[in-house]
Amino acid sequence: MYPETDGQPRAENTIQYRWIVTIQGGLDAQYRHHPNVFVAGDLFWYPVEGHPEIRTDPDVLVALGRPKEDRGSYMQWLEDDVPPQVLFEIQSPSNRAAEMQSKWEFYDRYGVEEYYLYDPEEVTLIGWQRRGGHLVEIERMDGWVSPLLGIRFDMSGDELQIFGSDGQRFLSYLEVTALRDQDQRARQRAQKQAEEAARKAERLAAQLRAMGIDPEA
């Protein structure tokens, strides 16, 4: 009755997919120790029970106060009637203006508190915040800090950069992998240095014992 997929791909191109994964992954990492913050990507949201035709699938959603549990979709009436408070959309070439306007109206109607739309091709970021019962466009996004998430948006470079509440930049999967590999190589170097130092110490101790000197003394 409530489909969990529409059979469409999660993203239309590699850029869009990379940004979805980067934002979802960054938020997942930020809230990894918070059991009651639910982060998801490309998940159907059904706000009204009994109306499966009323649905949308934001690229990334955040539901504060909801447990980290696997879901096939976000059925709001099963979530203490808590709507996702923060949503992200990544613009793709096929997104029509009418489609994006329809999504904005959906989010405005069903209680989203913050909504961010990023176009990686044009490097433009638009944000809305709920004020007086409606989503109102944020005047300046460069340097904006999300009141609910504490993340900061930086538009000063060639592309959007997002910094978590801890000040660390959200990294792509490739960047995370590169850092992990770098850390692994550093540990291997440190281990080799420690082993070499131990061998040198043992050689020195052997020389001292040969001279009749107790290396422990």
Side-chain angles (χ1 to χ4, degrees):
M1 185 176 180
Y2 297 92
E4 296 179 359
T5 178
D6 57 5
Q8 298 299 313
R10 182 175 181 182
E12 294 184 0
N13 55 52
T14 56
I15 296 175
Q16 186 185 24
Y17 183 80
R18 183 168 68 249
W19 274 103
I20 293 172
V21 172
T22 296
I23 293 174
Q24 180 188 351
L27 291 169
D28 266 332
Q30 174 166 304
Y31 290 109
R32 63 190 180 280
H33 300 307
H34 296 256
N36 290 317
V37 178
F38 176 63
V39 180
D42 196 36
L43 190 73
F44 274 153
W45 166 27
Y46 293 97
V48 183
E49 186 176 10
H51 290 275
E53 76 281 4
I54 302 176
R55 73 186 188 198
T56 189
D57 56 340
D59 288 332
V60 180
L61 68 81
V62 182
L64 303 170
R66 303 310 305 151
K68 293 184 189 300
E69 297 174 354
D70 289 331
R71 297 161 171 79
S73 60
Y74 192 89
M75 300 180 186
Q76 190 169 314
W77 58 94
L78 300 179
E79 307 285 352
D80 288 344
D81 204 32
V82 174
Q85 296 96 339
V86 186
L87 301 182
F88 297 82
E89 295 282 1
I90 307 302
Q91 186 92 23
S92 67
S94 70
N95 290 144
R96 300 181 302 276
E99 177 188 356
M100 301 314 295
Q101 177 64 25
S102 177
K103 282 201 166 190
W104 180 92
E105 291 172 357
F106 190 104
Y107 300 156
D108 182 60
R109 178 175 182 179
Y110 290 107
V112 172
E113 294 291 332
E114 298 177 26
Y115 168 37
Y116 301 102
L117 173 62
Y118 179 54
D119 185 338
E121 298 281 356
E122 299 295 329
V123 194
T124 59
L125 176 66
I126 307 173
W128 293 267
Q129 181 186 27
R130 185 166 295 275
R131 300 173 191 164
H134 291 282
L135 288 174
V136 178
E137 186 172 343
I138 298 165
E139 193 170 312
R140 179 180 173 82
M141 283 304 304
D142 186 24
W144 170 262
V145 177
S146 161
L148 289 178
L149 305 181
I151 63 176
R152 178 171 60 85
F153 300 91
D154 185 338
M155 295 292 294
S156 61
D158 295 333
E159 64 177 5
L160 168 66
Q161 294 190 94
I162 302 176
F163 294 86
S165 57
D166 60 357
Q168 298 298 309
R169 181 171 64 88
F170 283 12
L171 302 176
S172 69
Y173 177 77
L174 285 178
E175 289 174 319
V176 171
T177 302
L179 283 177
R180 185 174 63 235
D181 291 345
Q182 181 180 344
D183 183 59
Q184 183 177 2
R185 288 193 295 270
R187 288 199 301 269
Q188 290 172 343
R189 285 195 300 269
Q191 182 177 354
K192 287 180 65 176
Q193 290 170 354
E195 291 171 352
E196 180 61 26
R199 287 193 293 269
K200 288 182 178 179
E202 181 56 34
R203 287 197 297 269
L204 176 60
Q207 291 172 355
L208 291 173
R209 284 193 291 269
M211 297 168 60
I213 302 173
D214 182 0
E216 299 297 329

